[in-house]
Amino acid sequence: EVQLVESGGGLVQPGGSLRLSCAASGFTFSSYWMSWVRQAPGKGLEWVANIKQDGSEKYYVDSVKGRFTISRDNAKNSLYLQMNSLRAEDTAVYYCARGKLPDYWGQGTLVTVSS
Amino acid sequence: QSVLTQPPSASGTPGQRVTISCSGSSSNIGSNYVYWYQQLPGTAPKLLIYRNNQRPSGVPDRFSGSKSGTSASLAISGLRSEDEADYYCAAWDDSLSAHVVFGGGTKLTVL
């Protein structure tokens, strides 16, 4: 069974940093693109970033370029999102998902940016 | 403002057939596959349709997808109360900043 479990969310002040993690199991992690997708409270889905199987290609939505970094550790079956210079508008549930266009999704972790 | 355009709401009565549209452009729907997701209240999204019209195992055949040019549609036949959810379309976009684009979502109400 495919499982994706996010962690690392929480309350952070504007300008602060946070690192999200996603532990994957039930499939060959190194064979799949992986993605982060977010959903602000009461809003729709917004793709944030994705990363190729070997980490050689990474793509970001314009609003997070230069602030967020996606990475992965295939030996640990883990996906990460380093978020710096956080803004109020980054407040959202962040989902870890399998695939360039996702097929499986985690349950999400809430990130709240507020003073 | 989402890159893919969906109606904000749709509704139907049990047993009816409902369709949800998704309009894009040549750089996304026009040249790439369309995916559809269902998000029940308080839960994570679930893949409903991939590659325009393919259903993952476990998704009832009441759900079907189609694509024509720069538009796509999700059809739900034999509507059930448990189909009440938010539905999102998505596609890869080949524009300068290659990325994934989502529709704004359609809230389906079963009357």
Side-chain angles (χ1 to χ4, degrees):
Chain A
E1 178 193 5
V2 173
Q3 284 201 324
L4 298 166
V5 180
E6 304 92 338
S7 61
L11 175 63
V12 61
Q13 291 189 339
S17 297
L18 217 51
R19 189 196 196 207
L20 304 184
S21 298
C22 171
S25 61
F27 64 101
T28 305
F29 181 75
S30 59
S31 297
Y32 288 86
W33 279 77
M34 295 296 295
S35 301
W36 288 100
V37 179
R38 68 185 178 184
Q39 186 170 34
K43 302 296 184 182
L45 301 172
E46 180 184 37
W47 171 80
V48 175
N50 54 24
I51 183 169
K52 196 177 178 180
Q53 289 90 331
D54 61 358
S56 61
E57 294 181 36
K58 304 175 185 181
Y59 299 101
Y60 301 91
V61 67
D62 287 349
S63 60
V64 309
K65 282 180 182 176
R67 300 188 300 122
F68 290 12
T69 302
I70 189 172
S71 63
R72 63 192 297 162
D73 186 334
N74 288 342
K76 294 183 177 179
N77 291 338
S78 293
L79 177 72
Y80 307 100
L81 186 67
Q82 177 67 43
M83 304 186 296
N84 299 330
S85 303
L86 282 161
R87 307 166 180 169
E89 54 265 35
D90 295 319
T91 294
V93 173
Y94 284 73
Y95 294 102
C96 165
R98 188 181 81 167
K100 185 186 287 192
L101 272 155
D103 53 6
Y104 286 93
W105 301 61
Q107 287 307 300
T109 186
L110 177 62
V111 172
T112 304
V113 184
S114 175
S115 55
Chain B
Q1 192 85 3
S2 301
V3 174
L4 303 182
T5 301
Q6 297 180 237
S9 64
S11 64
T13 57
Q16 268 192 332
R17 182 176 187 271
V18 171
T19 61
I20 297 172
S21 62
C22 176
S23 177
S25 68
S26 58
S27 66
N28 41 66
I29 293 178
S31 52
N32 294 289
Y33 290 121
V34 177
Y35 285 54
W36 288 92
Y37 300 93
Q38 177 193 59
Q39 187 175 33
L40 298 170
T43 69
K46 169 192 169 185
L47 179 65
L48 212 54
I49 298 288
Y50 67 100
R51 293 191 177 185
N52 302 334
N53 55 20
Q54 302 299 302
R55 280 188 310 276
S57 60
V59 173
D61 59 5
R62 302 187 296 106
F63 295 90
S64 62
S66 64
K67 183 182 111 169
S68 178
T70 59
S71 293
S73 291
L74 172 71
I76 309 171
S77 60
L79 200 60
R80 297 184 173 186
S81 58
E82 56 261 38
D83 297 333
E84 187 160 293
D86 293 324
Y87 293 84
Y88 295 89
C89 58
W92 184 264
D93 194 299
D94 293 326
S95 60
L96 280 176
S97 299
H99 54 281
V100 174
V101 288
F102 281 93
T106 299
K107 168 67 178 176
L108 174 63
T109 301
V110 181
L111 302 169

